[in-house]
């Protein structure tokens, strides 16, 4: 994985779960790992919700003063600059959904343009607004325009929440390949729980997720 | 996988409204329901509908009044502080017998409050946030699928009885993602809107949409006629779900997200050998008194435990329903704090322990 890993895509596609898991994976290989919650759109189900857990794992969490604070307007913390100035750190930047969320990255263009980064577009083919190639292309173009950054890879995270079946992911592979081709990028990872990944014929790109965003009626909550 | 897709509560609501024939949406953004407006802004132009972000919630609800009066299927959406602003318009709409659908994705209050989930707008929705003798039909889904199904029903109920209908969800329902399926709906059996201001073509008498009646006798007659309609709604539209209320010592009463948390607590309590059931009101007005009659039918001693994300609002209706025939207790969290299953379990155990 590269030093800077940016997670973008349609809202509700699983960006935050992937960002958290990617930070954990980076931590296995590097000492200095930071995750930035750059979501300026969505007040619920955020990276910051897993802050305590991530910090226990030795991962630095940078989050905006927004949800669950007394500030109603999201402000990106100055700390985010440290991702670009401290070249020894490995970072995951979790953007908000759609182009509305990707806009938060734009102001860092002057730093990002000299970096070798990856920006992953997360796809859930069972999200109705990204279930055809034209919509995906349009959204990806808007995200690139607003973020002033280039999408470099696709992550297929197709799932149906608690009704997910392994075949949902396996059946979406053909579509995910098409989407990657349409965006002119490589399909980098296929993500899901261990069970979801079990039906994949080719597991070379499989990336197993542990899920952190829990609903309040989950028995363990 | 059928035709199931994964959707966020707010966008599912908007899509369900469009599928129910809503082609007019007037709103103003506010967390945690903004995705309703955003979805409408994106989709309405594609289907030849109207999306308008008004200059304020007050303007939006009055646009709803106008479009509804002209016979359109129309919706507005907001969250608690925005719904407070709409109350004058809601009262006018009720007073002019205009159908429309109003979404409230409730957040913590009072005042600007917070942006996390709450149920502290129950009084406002059910006891009349605006002035005058009127009711809103208030539907309280507890899953995204139910949000979708009730949205179609809300438009039908509104058109059938010529009244405003509110769908009241909490921030959690608006923001969480769940699998949903959209079913075809049938509106063929609804009455024609021969009262709407659609233009006379010089062929009929003018239709007038109005809530001003200076003559007391005229106004009383209208209010009495409307009350008959409310009686009909109370007779026909009550909805609720019960689970294991027969033979229960403790019956939980909860709606929306809280009902699902309460059900998790109920399973945990049962695993400990306690006899617990649940009543989940789906219509908050009309309140499902019938469910309580069923639960009380055996005449045994029992406790009703209302669980809410508020300081206790629906619990008043539980007391009216129980009318002294059983104990009524309450557990709630407020300010945007969502109760956990274990907190509710502790309360259940406290009540069960006290009985010994």
């Amino acid at each position: 994985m590269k030093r800077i890993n940016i997670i973008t895509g349609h809202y509700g596609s699983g960006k935050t779960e992937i960002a958290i898991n990617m930070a954990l994976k980076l931590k296995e290989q590097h000492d200095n790992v930071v995750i930035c919650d750059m979501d300026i759109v969505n007040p619920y189900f955020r990276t910051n919700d897993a802050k305590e857990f991530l910090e226990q794992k030795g991962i630095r969490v940078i989050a905006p003063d927004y949800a669950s604070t007394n500030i109603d307007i999201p402000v990106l913390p100055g700390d985010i600059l440290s991702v670009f100035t401290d070249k020894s750190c490995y970072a995951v930047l979790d953007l908000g959904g759609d182009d509305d969320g990707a806009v938060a990255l734009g102001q860092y263009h002057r730093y990002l343009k000299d970096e070798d980064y990856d920006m992953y577009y997360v796809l859930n083919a069972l999200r109705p607004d990204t279930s055809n190639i034209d919509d995906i292309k349009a959204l990806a173009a808007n995200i690139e325009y607003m973020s002033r950054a280039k999408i470099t890879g696709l992550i297929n995270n197709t799932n149906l929440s608690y009704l997910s079946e392994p075949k949902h992911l396996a059946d979406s592979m053909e579509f995910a390949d098409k989407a990657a081709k349409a965006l002119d990028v490589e399909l980098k990872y296929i993500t899901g729980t261990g069970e979801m990944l079990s039906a994949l014929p080719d597991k070379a790109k499989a990336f197993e997720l542990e899920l952190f965003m829990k609903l309040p009626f989950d028995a363990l909550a | 996988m059928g035709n199931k897709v994964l959707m966020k509560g707010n966008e599912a609501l908007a899509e369900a409204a469009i599928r129910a024939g809503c082609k007019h949406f007037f709103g103003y953004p506010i967390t945690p329901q903004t995705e309703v407006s955003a979805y409408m802004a994106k989709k309405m132009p594609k289907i030849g509908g109207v999306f308008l972000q008004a200059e304020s919630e007050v303007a939006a609800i009055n646009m709803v009044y106008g479009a509804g009066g002209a016979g359109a299927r129309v919706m507005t959406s907001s969250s608690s502080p925005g719904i407070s602003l709409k109350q004058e318009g809601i009262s006018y709409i009720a007073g002019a017998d205009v159908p429309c659908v109003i979404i409230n994705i409730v957040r913590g209050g009072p005042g600007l409050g917070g942006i996390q989930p709450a149920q502290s707008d129950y009084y406002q929705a059910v006891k009349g946030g605006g002035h005058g003798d009127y009711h809103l039909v208030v539907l309280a889904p507890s899953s995204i699928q139910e949000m979708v199904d009730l949205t179609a029903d809300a438009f039908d109920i509104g058109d059938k009885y010529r009244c405003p209908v509110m769908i009241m969800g909490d921030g959690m329902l608006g923001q969480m993602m769940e699998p949903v399926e959209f079913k075809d709906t049938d509106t063929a059996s609804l009455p024609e809107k021969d009262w709407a201001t659609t233009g006379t073509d010089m062929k009929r008498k003018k239709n007038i949409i109005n809530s001003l009646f200076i003559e007391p006798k005229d106004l009383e007659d209208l209010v009495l006629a409307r009350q008959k309609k409310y009686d009909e709604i109370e007779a026909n539209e009550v909805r609720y779900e019960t689970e294991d209320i027969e033979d229960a010592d403790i019956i939980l009463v909860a709606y929306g997200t809280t009902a699902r948390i309460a059900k998790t607590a109920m399973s945990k309590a049962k695993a400990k050998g306690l006899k617990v059931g649940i009543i989940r009101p789906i219509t908050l007005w009309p309140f499902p008194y019938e469910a309580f009659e069923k639960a009380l039918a055996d005449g045994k001693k029992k406790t009703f435990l209302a669980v809410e994300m508020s300081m206790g609002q629906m619990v008043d209706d539980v007391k009216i329903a129980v009318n002294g025939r059983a104990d009524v207790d309450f557990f709630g969290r407020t300010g945007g704090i969502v109760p956990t299953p274990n907190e509710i379990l502790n309360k259940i155990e406290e009540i069960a322990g006290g009985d010994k």
Side-chain angles (χ1 to χ4, degrees):
Chain A
M1 275 186 271
K2 292 194 173 150
R3 196 179 81 74
I4 293 179
N5 301 277
I6 302 158
I7 313 292
T8 186
H10 183 38
Y11 70 83
S13 296
K15 291 182 301 300
T16 293
E17 297 282 15
I18 290 169
I20 293 172
N21 280 272
M22 211 171 247
L24 291 169
K25 180 79 91 186
L26 278 171
K27 185 66 190 167
E28 289 170 12
Q29 297 150 11
H30 307 283
D31 252 4
N32 186 358
V33 174
V34 53
I35 185 167
C36 300
D37 179 345
M38 291 176 69
D39 192 341
I40 54 164
V41 180
N42 182 16
Y44 291 37
F45 306 113
R46 306 168 56 94
T47 295
N48 203 32
D49 296 348
K51 185 175 179 171
E52 208 176 312
F53 170 82
L54 289 163
E55 285 180 343
Q56 272 169 15
K57 295 274 175 188
I59 294 166
R60 193 154 72 93
V61 179
I62 301 176
D65 293 326
Y66 174 37
S68 299
T69 72
N70 265 335
I71 298 171
D72 200 21
I73 296 167
V75 177
L76 291 168
D79 261 17
I80 291 179
L81 278 181
S82 69
V83 168
F84 304 103
T85 54
D86 173 8
K87 305 281 185 195
S88 74
C89 81
Y90 281 76
V92 177
L93 310 185
D94 182 18
L95 302 187
D98 294 356
D99 41 332
D100 300 331
V103 71
L105 188 67
Q107 63 178 292
Y108 302 103
H109 175 71
R110 69 197 122 145
Y111 305 104
L112 206 54
K113 67 180 169 37
D114 302 322
E115 289 275 358
D116 185 24
Y117 66 86
D118 264 323
M119 178 149 93
Y120 298 107
Y121 179 98
V122 177
L123 169 72
N124 180 350
L126 289 170
R127 292 278 293 132
D129 279 355
T130 51
S131 54
N132 76 64
I133 299 292
D134 284 345
D135 287 345
I136 291 172
K137 273 176 82 170
L139 179 59
N142 285 338
I143 285 173
E144 290 188 331
Y145 178 74
M146 296 305 270
S147 66
R148 306 176 72 190
K150 183 98 189 64
I151 292 166
T152 62
L154 188 117
I155 294 177
N156 182 12
N157 187 48
T158 297
N159 74 86
L160 206 49
S161 184
Y162 52 78
L163 294 185
S164 294
E165 293 169 35
K167 70 174 163 90
H168 291 146
L169 183 58
D171 289 353
S172 72
M173 283 310 301
E174 194 185 325
F175 179 73
D177 283 331
K178 255 190 222 161
K181 231 172 241 143
L183 300 185
D184 198 21
V185 297
E186 195 192 329
L187 174 68
K188 287 274 180 69
Y189 300 110
I190 306 159
T191 49
T193 57
E195 196 202 338
M196 284 296 278
L197 297 171
S198 65
L200 290 178
D202 177 3
K203 296 193 176 56
K205 291 174 178 174
F207 186 128
E208 187 172 338
L209 299 181
E210 189 186 335
L211 302 183
F212 293 93
M213 299 293 117
K214 299 265 196 284
L215 288 168
F217 36 83
D218 286 343
L220 298 174
Chain B
M1 75 181 84
N3 294 315
K4 283 201 166 61
V5 290
L6 190 61
M7 287 184 97
K8 193 170 195 167
N10 284 334
E11 55 176 358
L13 266 175
E15 178 62 27
I18 289 171
R19 286 176 190 241
C22 171
K23 283 188 136 183
H24 301 80
F25 180 91
F26 307 99
Y28 188 85
I30 180 170
T31 305
Q33 69 74 54
T34 299
E35 293 86 357
V36 180
S37 284
Y39 194 89
M40 289 299 197
K42 220 182 274 177
K43 296 284 159 124
M44 280 301 190
K46 291 184 183 165
I47 60 158
V50 175
F51 164 84
L52 199 148
Q53 180 173 322
E55 67 269 33
S56 72
E57 287 86 348
V58 179
I61 192 69
N62 283 292
M63 291 172 186
V64 168
Y65 183 17
R73 283 207 150 178
V74 58
M75 184 166 102
T76 187
S77 172
S78 194
S79 177
S80 309
I83 295 291
S84 290
L85 280 165
K86 290 183 197 286
Q87 291 304 327
E88 179 196 54
I90 293 171
S91 171
Y92 280 40
I93 287 168
D97 298 300
V98 167
C100 69
V101 173
I102 302 153
I103 310 286
N104 185 4
I105 300 297
V106 182
R107 64 189 234 179
L112 276 172
I115 57 175
Q116 299 296 323
Q119 295 179 315
S120 40
D121 296 358
Y122 182 93
Y123 283 153
Q124 185 193 54
V126 170
K127 308 293 177 188
H131 58 280
D133 280 316
Y134 81 95
H135 289 288
L136 283 177
V137 175
V138 183
L139 307 175
S142 82
S143 69
I144 311 294
Q145 184 64 57
E146 198 174 33
M147 269 174 141
V148 164
D149 298 342
L150 288 179
T151 300
D153 293 347
F155 280 103
D156 288 354
I157 291 169
D159 283 351
K160 186 171 172 195
Y161 299 99
R162 284 185 66 183
C163 65
V165 179
M166 176 176 277
I167 296 177
M168 196 159 82
D170 53 73
M172 185 57 65
L173 282 167
Q175 293 293 323
M176 70 188 209
M177 313 267 313
E178 282 197 305
V180 289
E181 194 171 355
F182 292 90
K183 297 155 197 158
D184 288 333
T185 51
D186 177 23
T187 55
S189 60
L190 291 169
E192 205 189 324
K193 294 183 178 180
D194 54 7
W195 47 265
T197 53
T198 51
T200 64
D201 278 337
M202 303 294 182
K203 283 174 190 152
R204 61 161 167 83
K205 265 183 70 183
K206 274 192 286 191
N207 285 334
I208 297 171
I209 301 292
N210 173 43
S211 74
L212 176 66
F213 299 92
I214 303 285
E215 271 297 322
K217 182 77 180 74
D218 290 350
L219 184 53
E220 188 187 48
D221 285 349
L222 260 170
V223 171
L224 288 173
R226 197 171 296 123
Q227 187 58 45
K228 275 196 184 138
K229 183 166 84 179
Y230 292 145
D231 292 344
E232 236 179 283
I233 294 173
E234 284 194 275
N236 298 334
E237 304 298 340
V238 170
R239 294 175 200 201
Y240 59 90
E241 181 194 52
T242 63
E243 229 177 274
D244 301 331
I245 53 170
E246 306 80 14
D247 198 37
D249 297 324
I250 298 167
I251 295 175
L252 307 175
V253 189
Y255 67 96
T257 296
T258 312
R260 293 176 73 171
I261 305 168
K263 280 184 188 177
T264 306
M266 181 170 94
S267 319
K268 290 183 172 205
K270 283 184 165 175
K272 293 188 166 194
L274 298 171
K275 288 182 183 167
V276 182
I278 187 167
I279 295 173
R280 178 173 74 90
I282 298 171
T283 49
L284 301 181
W285 192 87
F287 195 70
Y289 294 111
E290 183 185 294
F292 292 82
E293 292 307 321
K294 284 185 189 167
L296 287 162
D298 62 10
K300 284 185 194 153
K301 181 176 160 57
K302 60 193 74 182
T303 302
F304 290 83
L305 172 60
V307 186
E308 302 176 60
M309 286 191 276
S310 76
M311 290 307 290
Q313 300 193 9
M314 180 192 63
V315 66
D316 286 0
D317 282 332
V318 174
K319 285 177 185 164
I320 292 170
V322 169
N323 202 13
R325 290 173 289 174
D327 291 336
V328 176
D329 211 329
F330 171 75
F331 179 77
R333 297 297 305 263
T334 192
I337 302 283
V338 179
T340 66
N342 281 337
E343 284 174 341
I344 300 170
L345 177 66
N346 290 343
K347 182 71 188 181
I348 292 170
E349 287 185 308
E350 182 194 310
I351 293 169
D355 273 356
K356 275 173 196 163

